[in-house]
Amino acid sequence: MKKLVTNLTFWVLTAITAGALLGHYYPDQAVEMKILGEGFISVVKLFINPIIFLTITLGIVGMGDLKKVGKVGAKALLYFEVVTTLALLVGIIVANIIRPGHGVVTDSLEKGDISKYAGKAHDFSWLQFFFDNVTLQVLLFALVFGSVLSRIEAKQRMVDGLNFVSKYVFRALHLVMIFAPIGAFGGMAFTIGKYGIHTLLPLAKLMGTVYATMAVFIFGVLGLILRTYKISLWRFLKYIREELLIVLGTSSSEAGLPSLMAKLERMGCSKPVVGLVVPAGYSFNLDGTTIYLSMATIFLAQVFNVHLNMGQILSLIGILMVTSKGAAGVTGSGFVVLASTLTAIKVIPVEGLALLLGVDRFMSEARAITNFIGNGVATIWLANNEKEFDRTKMEYAFNNIQETENVVTDNLSDVTQPEQTKL
């Protein structure tokens, strides 16, 4: 009983259940809980950029080989492009086989206002994407700062200062994560209370198809990727179960980012690889978002009886390979990118987005979880590929999950200490 009461997973799961019940039976009160979910995510976001800066800077200083940074970064970008393209193809193939938009009567669906998304679709640019994406800016600055600092002879004093700061940043994060159940409760209560279960029925086939496709991608594609290094996906998912529940409750993969970085280091991934791959992945490795964008586009084509020939499908793949990378850096995320994609294709009415507004929130959980798992798998694969992975640590972490969770939450500062081995 003591283990159960002190287990964060138990409280997050309880909070999600309580939030769903409140949203269903008392929707008006549940909608007011939005501030709890958004407040928790906002506080966690305050830690993301400092953690990225400290992790990358200290990692580069401890490396000794700056060429390795460029090598890992190039491999990461190549991996992101290949895997997100696979996600894109999986989404298009499944949507064309199951045809979730076939027979949907648009008159029976509740429509929303898409003017703000359609308007922003025309304004999208890669330059603006960079300026809007603070995480990328911090990543770039940390790379430059760490490279410069590593070349300074009298750097130890500054390194000691950064280690001191990182110690207390992670301790402060530990205090915040204690309130994760409150954030999960607020996020789930708002979602159910605002949109209601009844909004799912008209588009239940689309919902089921999206969730099934993401499950196939996770256990099929991502599972096979880990299998190349004889690592069990099931064991990894069990290892990050707390973070998955937090992401589920808040519908935000960012809510679990700091803990994911800590756990990846704890299970044997080297600090520099974690510091480079995870932050970059949150902008360029959005597997779940890519699947959703491809399936939503095909779904709307089916709803409006628009037949896409092979040339148009290939054009769609090419456009989504580019536009999907901007989903994390644009206000409105997937909807803005989806609007820009429909605008570029010019054969599917962009007004069709109004049909998706009611159920988008319910599919955001699947997107966030898939993105989250995808970035974890990418980091593990690249760490193994670079021979910067300690399997002994992995086995210990997997076999002592409860102890590892306690260490990560009670003393997160441990993972910020500089490693003795070079990358």
Side-chain angles (χ1 to χ4, degrees):
M1 180 59 69
K2 182 180 178 181
K3 287 184 177 180
L4 186 66
V5 173
T6 57
N7 190 294
L8 184 62
T9 303
F10 167 76
W11 288 111
V12 172
L13 188 58
T14 301
I16 291 173
T17 304
L21 291 173
L22 180 66
H24 181 67
Y25 291 106
Y26 302 97
D28 293 337
Q29 291 84 348
V31 170
E32 296 177 2
M33 299 297 108
K34 179 181 181 181
I35 189 174
L36 298 178
E38 290 188 344
F40 174 74
I41 295 173
S42 298
V43 174
V44 172
K45 282 183 176 181
L46 294 176
F47 289 87
I48 291 176
N49 291 323
I51 287 173
I52 289 172
F53 171 76
L54 292 165
T55 303
I56 294 179
T57 301
L58 292 172
I60 291 177
V61 171
M63 273 197 256
D65 184 4
L66 296 181
K67 290 183 179 179
K68 194 76 172 179
V69 179
K71 183 182 177 183
V72 173
K75 276 189 178 181
L77 291 177
L78 179 61
Y79 173 96
F80 296 160
E81 191 59 47
V82 170
V83 176
T84 52
T85 301
L86 283 174
L88 179 60
L89 292 173
V90 168
I92 290 176
I93 291 171
V94 174
N96 276 291
I97 292 175
I98 300 181
R99 299 183 61 80
H102 182 68
V104 173
V105 180
T106 59
D107 293 339
S108 65
L109 299 178
E110 182 180 344
K111 299 180 177 66
D113 181 17
I114 63 160
S115 57
K116 61 179 180 179
Y117 303 111
K120 290 177 182 175
H122 297 283
D123 301 329
F124 176 77
S125 70
W126 282 105
L127 184 62
Q128 192 62 42
F129 166 61
F130 177 77
F131 284 123
D132 288 343
N133 197 317
V134 180
T135 300
L136 274 183
Q137 297 172 31
V138 173
L139 174 63
L140 180 61
F141 177 73
L143 287 171
V144 174
F145 184 80
S147 300
V148 172
L149 184 61
S150 65
R151 296 179 181 274
I152 298 176
E153 292 185 5
K155 61 188 175 186
Q156 194 56 47
R157 194 170 184 178
M158 188 173 292
V159 171
D160 291 341
L162 291 175
N163 274 317
F164 178 81
V165 172
S166 67
K167 175 181 179 180
Y168 286 96
V169 166
F170 275 92
R171 284 188 178 180
L173 175 63
H174 157 59
L175 296 177
V176 172
M177 295 309 294
I178 293 175
F179 297 96
I182 296 176
F185 169 78
M188 186 59 67
F190 168 76
T191 299
I192 303 297
K194 174 72 173 178
Y195 301 101
I197 301 297
H198 66 280
T199 61
L200 305 181
L201 299 179
L203 298 180
K205 189 176 181 181
L206 172 64
M207 284 272 299
T209 304
V210 169
Y211 271 82
T213 304
M214 293 195 185
V216 168
F217 179 80
I218 291 171
F219 294 105
V221 177
L222 297 182
L224 286 175
I225 289 174
L226 284 186
R227 192 178 290 273
T228 59
Y229 288 107
K230 298 180 180 179
I231 297 174
S232 168
L233 177 66
W234 276 110
R235 296 183 74 190
F236 174 61
L237 295 181
K238 185 179 179 182
Y239 176 63
I240 60 169
R241 61 193 180 191
E242 281 189 358
E243 290 71 26
L244 290 176
L245 286 173
I246 292 171
V247 171
L248 173 66
T250 60
S251 294
S252 171
S253 54
E254 291 181 321
L257 184 147
S259 294
L260 175 66
M261 294 178 70
K263 281 196 170 181
L264 287 171
E265 287 185 41
R266 182 66 56 181
M267 70 172 282
C269 296
S270 68
K271 182 192 300 294
V273 172
V274 173
L276 284 170
V277 177
V278 175
Y282 268 69
S283 293
F284 298 108
N285 190 39
L286 304 173
D287 300 329
T289 301
T290 303
I291 291 173
Y292 172 73
L293 291 172
S294 62
M295 298 193 76
T297 304
I298 299 298
F299 167 79
L300 292 176
Q302 293 167 356
V303 167
F304 292 103
N305 293 314
V306 176
H307 175 71
L308 298 176
N309 57 41
M310 186 54 65
Q312 289 171 321
I313 291 178
L314 291 176
S315 297
L316 171 63
I317 292 173
I319 292 169
L320 282 174
M321 283 175 65
V322 176
T323 56
S324 62
K325 302 300 183 294
V330 183
T331 303
S333 189
F335 258 100
V336 176
V337 174
L338 187 54
S340 66
T341 303
L342 297 180
T343 302
I345 296 175
K346 297 180 181 178
V347 293
I348 303 172
V350 71
E351 292 77 19
L353 287 179
L355 304 176
L356 298 174
L357 284 175
V359 296
D360 179 73
R361 176 77 184 192
F362 292 99
M363 289 187 282
S364 67
E365 284 91 350
R367 293 198 300 266
I369 288 176
T370 306
N371 291 339
F372 188 79
I373 296 172
N375 283 315
V377 169
T379 306
I380 295 171
W381 190 88
L382 286 163
N384 276 275
N385 188 259
E386 287 296 309
K387 295 180 173 55
E388 293 295 330
F389 188 79
D390 189 333
R391 296 190 72 89
T392 303
K393 284 186 176 181
M394 180 193 74
E395 289 299 330
Y396 182 84
F398 283 178
N399 292 329
N400 299 274
I401 294 177
Q402 187 60 53
E403 180 181 339
T404 302
E405 288 175 347
N406 291 336
V407 171
V408 170
T409 54
D410 292 340
N411 195 14
L412 277 167
S413 58
D414 284 352
V415 300
T416 66
Q417 300 306 313
E419 297 179 357
Q420 298 301 316
T421 57
K422 292 183 179 180
L423 180 66

